Amino acid sequence: MKTLRLALIGFGNVGQGFAQILIEHGSRLAVQYGVQFKIVAVADLQKGSVADAAGLDPQLLLQAAAGGDFKSLPEALQRDWAALDMIAHVQAEVLLELAFTDLQTGEPAYSHVKAALQKGMHVVTTNKGPVALHYAELSALAQAHGVQFAGEGTVMSGTPTVRLGQDVLRAAGIRQLEGILNGTTNYILTQMESGLSYAAALAQAQALGYAEADPAGDVEGHDAAGKVVILANLLLGVPLRMADVSCQGITGITSEMVADAQLAGERWKLVGRLQVQPDGSVQASVQPQRLPLSHPLANISGATNALAYTTDLVGTVTVSGPGAGRLPTGFAILSDLLAIARIA
Amino acid sequence: MKTLRLALIGFGNVGQGFAQILIEHGSRLAVQYGVQFKIVAVADLQKGSVADAAGLDPQLLLQAAAGGDFKSLPEALQRDWAALDMIAHVQAEVLLELAFTDLQTGEPAYSHVKAALQKGMHVVTTNKGPVALHYAELSALAQAHGVQFAGEGTVMSGTPTVRLGQDVLRAAGIRQLEGILNGTTNYILTQMESGLSYAAALAQAQALGYAEADPAGDVEGHDAAGKVVILANLLLGVPLRMADVSCQGITGITSEMVADAQLAGERWKLVGRLQVQPDGSVQASVQPQRLPLSHPLANISGATNALAYTTDLVGTVTVSGPGAGRLPTGFAILSDLLAIARIA
C-alpha cells in the first residue's frame, strides 16, 4: 500500500468536500488503487492550523470546521503556522492549495505553490490564480524538481476536462476549444429563456448561491476568461495572459435578445473560445453568442458546464458535467492525486 | 526516443486510417511524446502478408492497399504468413488486432489476441468480439504476462470513453452508464424525426454506408449490446455476457411513435444501459426509449455517439463524439499505444 501525505492550505467548501470523500470512499480507493491518503497538516486563514505526522482524522477536521475553527481539536495538534510556515515544516508529498482565488495577482496561492514546488512537493490546486497567471514558471519549476503541478479542479470542477485534454485529446491535434465555463452565467441565460429578466435571473442565481453578492467576476466574463487562459496553458501549451483574452460578459443581454434567438431556433450562450491559428498562435475570447440548437454547446442548460474539443484526428468531442460543487471539486483533487500516485 | 514495433492483423479501413495518422502526424507525436511507431509486419486475409524488421513504409502500404493487395510491394517484403504465423515469427512489442468482428464466437480475433499475449506482446484491438466475449480470460492473461490488452476503439471509435472511464471516472464510483452506442440506428431515428419512414431512413443510411446490406446487427441492437458488455467488463469490472443484456432494437419504431414523442417534447433513442444494483450486480439493457429533451442523450443527433456516466462523486458526466470513421478509429489505436508507451 502506497501512502501519500497531504498538507492542505484552506479548509473551506472544497477541502471539506475532499475530506468527506476520504471518509466515505477511502477504503474503496485503497483497494482499487493501492494508495491511501493521509492529511498530515491543515492551515486555514480563519480556522487556524493543525498537524499530526500520524495523520489527522478527517471526521474530526470536519466537526471542528462545522464549529467555526480548529480550536476544539486537541492541544497537541495545534500549530501556530501561517501557510508558508506549514510548507516549511511539514513532511508531506503533496500540497493541496485550496485558498481563495485572486485573478489579479494570483497571491497568496502563487507564493504557496512556488514554496512547495521548491521543496520538492507535488502541488494540486483548485485555485485559478496561480494556474492562469503563473503557469509557465510554475510548471517549469515542477519539472526541475521532478514533481507534478496539477489543476483539474480549476476548470469545470471534477468534470475531467483537463486530464482528458492532456492525457488523450492533445495527441489528436487540438485545433479549437469552445466551452461553457461559467455555471452562473449559464444559469442566468437559461432562466431568461423561461421569461425572466436579466435582473430577476441574477437575483435568483444569487439566492441559490450560484452568484456572489458582487457578481462582476461571473457576469463580466472574467471567471470564464481565467479558465480560457488555463486551458491555453494546460492543453495547448501556449502561455496566454488574461489581457490576451478578448472578453465580454452577459450584462448586455436583454429579454428581447433572448426571445429573438428562441424564435430563430437559437440560444444565447457565454462561450469561451480558443482557436489555434495557422501560425501556431492562439486567438482567445469570451463572448455571448447565438448558437444554433445543433451546436454541441447549445443544449447545455442551467449550471452545467461543457467543453468541446475540435481536433484533427477525432473531430469534435464534447464533455459536459458539473462546473462546481463540494464533492465534484473534491473529486478533481482526488483524480489529480491518483495520477500523482501512479508515478510517485 | 522510444520505439514501439507494431504487427497488424487486418489492413482495411481502420488499419489504413492508422497508417495515414503515422504519415501525417508521426513527427509531431515523436516530438510531443518521445515515441515512434514502426509497422514491422502486416497480415491481411485478402491483401496478403508483408514484413520488414527495419519498418514498412506506411505510404507504400497505403498505395499497395489501394491497388487491392500487397503483391506490388518488393519481393523481399513478401511473406506467406497467416495471422498466427505472423504472431509466431514477428519481433514486435504490440499486436494491433483489426480483423473483422464476430460477436458469436469472437474468432478468429480471440485466437490472435491469445497467441500474442502468451508471447508477451501488448495487444490493441478495435475488434468487439474478443473484448465482449473473452475479456476476463484475456485481461488475466495480459496481467500474467505483464502486458496491456487495450480496446478504446471497440466503443465509440476514438471518442475516449473507455480511457476516461478507466483512468478517471472509475474512481468517482460509477453507478450507471447510459449511451447512444450505435450511430446507424441514431441516424435512422434522427431522419425519422424529419418525417422519413423507417424503411426510407434505413435505405438512406445504407446509401451513405452507415448501415450494412444486412442491417440486423445494428437495427436489432446487437452491436450496441456488444458495446454494453464491453463497458461492463472494462469500466465496471463485471464479466457480463451477451445473453445477460436484455436487447431490443428499433425495428418496431414507427413514424407515428416518433411524431407522438415529438409532440410531447421527447425523442426516441436507442439507449444502452448498465445499472449497478445495491448488491453490486449489474442490470444491462439495450432498448428504444423516449427521452425528455433535458436528458443528456436526447440532443445527440445523426451518427454521433455519446456516453453518460453517473457517478457518486461527480454526478453525471457526458462525453459525445464520433462513433465510427477511419481517422477517429485510427486515433483510438494511437491513444491506446501512447498509454502503452507511457509504461513500456
Side-chain angles (χ1 to χ4, degrees):
Chain A
M1 180 72 65
K2 209 178 281 188
T3 300
L4 284 186
R5 292 171 299 177
L6 315 176
L8 277 64
I9 297 178
F11 200 69
N13 232 343
V14 174
Q16 293 175 39
F18 176 68
Q20 192 182 333
I21 290 175
L22 290 190
I23 295 166
E24 293 171 8
H25 297 268
S27 352
R28 170 177 68 83
L29 293 166
V31 172
Q32 243 174 331
Y33 296 92
V35 58
Q36 59 182 359
F37 302 104
K38 201 189 272 186
I39 299 177
V40 294
V42 182
D44 183 283
L45 217 48
Q46 272 80 46
K47 302 182 185 70
S49 59
V50 285
D52 186 347
L56 295 157
D57 181 345
Q59 190 72 64
L60 293 182
L61 288 173
L62 284 180
Q63 282 165 12
D69 60 42
F70 294 143
K71 291 211 184 74
S72 59
L73 293 174
E75 182 64 29
L77 307 179
Q78 302 292 332
R79 297 293 182 277
D80 190 20
W81 289 345
L84 286 171
D85 301 321
M86 178 184 76
I87 295 168
H89 290 102
V90 76
Q91 297 293 320
E93 282 75 32
V94 189
L95 176 74
L96 307 190
E97 169 30 86
L98 315 175
F100 58 89
T101 289
D102 179 329
L103 276 174
Q104 306 294 317
T105 66
E107 291 289 13
Y110 167 59
S111 297
H112 301 159
V113 173
K114 203 157 122 172
L117 294 174
Q118 279 167 338
K119 199 185 163 182
M121 293 169 77
H122 303 281
V123 174
V124 171
T125 188
T126 56
N127 189 319
K128 290 185 287 297
V131 192
L133 304 177
H134 304 284
Y135 183 72
E137 180 198 351
L138 294 172
S139 68
L141 194 59
Q143 204 166 7
H145 289 268
V147 292
Q148 298 284 307
F149 175 43
E152 178 67 70
T154 59
V155 180
M156 286 175 65
S157 73
T159 305
T161 42
V162 171
R163 201 148 289 288
L164 187 69
Q166 284 186 319
D167 288 0
V168 185
L169 290 174
R170 210 173 165 178
I174 298 174
R175 291 277 133 231
Q176 178 178 271
L177 295 165
E178 280 185 319
I180 292 178
L181 300 172
N182 179 275
T184 308
T185 47
N186 202 53
Y187 178 83
I188 292 172
L189 292 173
T190 302
Q191 292 309 101
M192 287 175 78
E193 287 180 7
S194 321
L196 260 59
S197 69
Y198 171 78
L202 170 59
Q204 201 174 84
Q206 287 170 321
L208 286 166
Y210 292 156
E212 316 267 328
D214 175 1
D218 289 323
V219 300
E220 303 284 1
H222 303 309
D223 173 76
K227 290 165 182 168
V228 161
V229 169
I230 290 173
L231 291 172
N233 275 292
L234 268 53
L235 302 192
L236 303 178
V238 174
L240 284 195
R241 296 172 172 280
M242 291 294 285
D244 298 325
V245 184
S246 145
C247 181
Q248 191 189 336
I250 63 162
T251 54
I253 306 291
T254 63
S255 299
E256 290 67 38
M257 291 163 73
V258 170
D260 277 357
Q262 280 181 302
L263 280 175
E266 299 187 338
R267 286 205 174 108
W268 281 101
K269 293 291 176 191
L270 184 63
V271 178
R273 181 178 287 111
L274 287 158
Q275 280 178 308
V276 179
Q277 306 299 306
D279 68 356
S281 71
V282 166
Q283 224 164 46
S285 63
V286 170
Q287 56 183 38
Q289 219 184 325
R290 270 171 67 155
L291 300 179
L293 291 185
S294 58
H295 191 285
L297 300 182
N299 297 295
I300 305 299
S301 59
T304 303
N305 282 196
L307 184 63
Y309 312 70
T310 300
T311 68
D312 287 335
L313 296 181
V314 75
T316 298
V317 170
T318 307
V319 181
S320 64
R326 186 180 154 110
L327 283 183
T329 312
F331 175 68
I333 298 170
L334 175 66
S335 71
D336 281 340
L337 286 174
L338 289 173
I340 288 170
R342 228 169 278 158
I343 55 140
Chain B
M1 181 72 64
K2 210 178 278 187
T3 299
L4 284 186
R5 293 171 297 177
L6 315 176
L8 277 64
I9 297 177
F11 199 70
N13 232 342
V14 174
Q16 293 174 38
F18 176 68
Q20 192 182 332
I21 290 175
L22 289 190
I23 294 167
E24 292 170 9
H25 298 267
S27 351
R28 170 176 70 82
L29 293 166
V31 172
Q32 243 174 331
Y33 296 91
V35 58
Q36 60 182 357
F37 302 105
K38 201 188 271 186
I39 299 177
V40 294
V42 183
D44 183 283
L45 218 50
Q46 272 81 45
K47 300 182 185 70
S49 59
V50 286
D52 186 348
L56 295 157
D57 181 345
Q59 190 72 66
L60 292 182
L61 289 173
L62 284 180
Q63 281 165 12
D69 61 43
F70 293 143
K71 292 212 184 74
S72 59
L73 292 174
E75 182 64 28
L77 306 180
Q78 302 292 332
R79 297 291 181 279
D80 190 20
W81 288 346
L84 286 171
D85 301 322
M86 180 184 75
I87 294 168
H89 289 104
V90 76
Q91 297 293 319
E93 283 74 32
V94 189
L95 176 74
L96 307 190
E97 170 28 86
L98 315 175
F100 58 90
T101 289
D102 179 329
L103 276 174
Q104 305 295 316
T105 65
E107 290 289 13
Y110 167 58
S111 298
H112 300 159
V113 172
K114 203 157 122 173
L117 293 174
Q118 279 168 337
K119 199 185 164 182
M121 294 170 75
H122 302 281
V123 174
V124 171
T125 188
T126 56
N127 189 318
K128 291 184 288 297
V131 192
L133 304 177
H134 304 284
Y135 183 73
E137 180 198 352
L138 294 173
S139 68
L141 194 58
Q143 203 165 6
H145 289 268
V147 291
Q148 299 283 308
F149 174 43
E152 178 66 71
T154 58
V155 180
M156 286 176 64
S157 73
T159 305
T161 42
V162 171
R163 200 148 291 285
L164 187 70
Q166 284 186 319
D167 289 0
V168 185
L169 290 175
R170 209 172 165 179
I174 299 174
R175 291 279 134 228
Q176 179 178 272
L177 295 165
E178 281 186 319
I180 292 178
L181 301 171
N182 180 275
T184 307
T185 47
N186 202 51
Y187 178 84
I188 291 172
L189 292 173
T190 302
Q191 292 308 101
M192 287 175 77
E193 286 180 7
S194 321
L196 260 59
S197 69
Y198 171 78
L202 171 59
Q204 201 175 83
Q206 287 170 320
L208 286 166
Y210 293 156
E212 316 268 326
D214 175 2
D218 289 322
V219 299
E220 303 282 1
H222 303 309
D223 173 75
K227 291 164 181 168
V228 161
V229 170
I230 289 173
L231 291 171
N233 276 290
L234 268 53
L235 302 191
L236 303 178
V238 174
L240 285 195
R241 297 173 172 278
M242 292 292 287
D244 298 324
V245 184
S246 144
C247 181
Q248 191 189 335
I250 63 162
T251 53
I253 306 291
T254 63
S255 298
E256 290 67 38
M257 291 163 74
V258 170
D260 276 357
Q262 280 181 303
L263 280 176
E266 299 187 336
R267 286 205 174 108
W268 282 100
K269 293 291 177 192
L270 184 64
V271 178
R273 180 178 288 111
L274 287 158
Q275 279 178 307
V276 179
Q277 305 300 305
D279 68 356
S281 71
V282 166
Q283 222 165 47
S285 63
V286 170
Q287 56 183 40
Q289 218 183 330
R290 269 171 68 154
L291 301 179
L293 292 185
S294 59
H295 191 284
L297 299 182
N299 297 296
I300 305 299
S301 60
T304 302
N305 281 194
L307 184 64
Y309 311 70
T310 300
T311 67
D312 287 333
L313 297 181
V314 75
T316 298
V317 170
T318 307
V319 181
S320 65
R326 184 179 155 112
L327 282 183
T329 311
F331 174 70
I333 298 170
L334 175 65
S335 70
D336 281 340
L337 286 175
L338 289 173
I340 288 170
R342 228 169 279 158
I343 54 139

